[in-house]
Amino acid sequence: DPGSAIIKRYGLFNDTVDPKSRSYGIPHPGTFILDRKGVVVSRFFEDAYQERYTTGAMLGGAASATSIKAATQHLSLTASISDATVAPGERISLIAGITPARNMHVYAPGRHTYQVVRLEIDPPPWLKVHPIAYPASEIYHFKPLDERVEVFVKPFTLRRDVTFLATPEAAKQLASMGTATISGALEYQACDDTICFNPARVPVSFTVTVKGLDRRPPGGQ
């Protein structure tokens, strides 16, 4: 692809690379997922070649066998992680499946001042935390105040991606650890038709195995 002409035509040219680098002219890395009929159903692109989605993250954590279950008077929670083994540069997903209790709702992002349900992560220096992905919400009409707010009433899922950094400092620290723990909590405020309860917090924590990067050239020993 002389001059990266095709790369530029598809809008994939990676302009974050130093023009003096031998890597200048490369595209942004990307992955397409096809169904059995060959139809593209998902696509994922990253800014830097050092950071990539894992297959588990691209599949939405569906294959995860590691999960945490918890319940409060307001809701039940099943939290899972897309990958049990990671390497520097890999982007994985934390998934929170939430089912509000009967006649209960929690708040979605919107034009209100109530505490929005969120999956918070305590980021160590070797971890990058990405924004929460929210599903579509619905409008709840609180009749006593004639108030309409965005809420979740039915079961829903939150997704939050994290990337294990591939900087030399982070990779060195991760290599010395063997395992890494990602800790955080589901934070929310729940209400029913008459009462708004105090904000609540359900801790979650996952430990993953850290594998090193294979930096050998192809065919190297």
Side-chain angles (χ1 to χ4, degrees), residues 124-192:
W126 38 263
L127 194 70
K128 177 182 179 180
V129 180
H130 298 275
I132 302 170
Y134 285 93
S137 60
E138 58 184 277
I139 299 297
Y140 172 76
H141 182 202
F142 185 56
K143 295 181 181 179
L145 296 178
D146 193 23
E147 184 179 59
R148 290 173 170 82
V149 292
E150 296 85 352
V151 301
F152 297 115
V153 177
K154 301 174 183 177
F156 65 99
T157 300
L158 300 182
R159 168 177 172 158
R160 188 149 207 184
D161 289 357
V162 296
T163 297
F164 285 75
L165 297 177
T167 62
E169 297 80 5
K172 182 178 180 180
Q173 186 176 1
L174 288 166
S176 68
M177 293 165 52
T179 61
T181 299
I182 305 171
S183 300
L186 179 75
E187 299 180 353
Y188 67 91
Q189 182 178 18
C191 300
D192 59 20

Side-chain angles (χ1 to χ4, degrees), residues 1-12:
D1 187 12
S4 304
I6 302 300
I7 292 172
K8 292 176 180 177
R9 184 178 301 175
Y10 279 94
L12 300 177

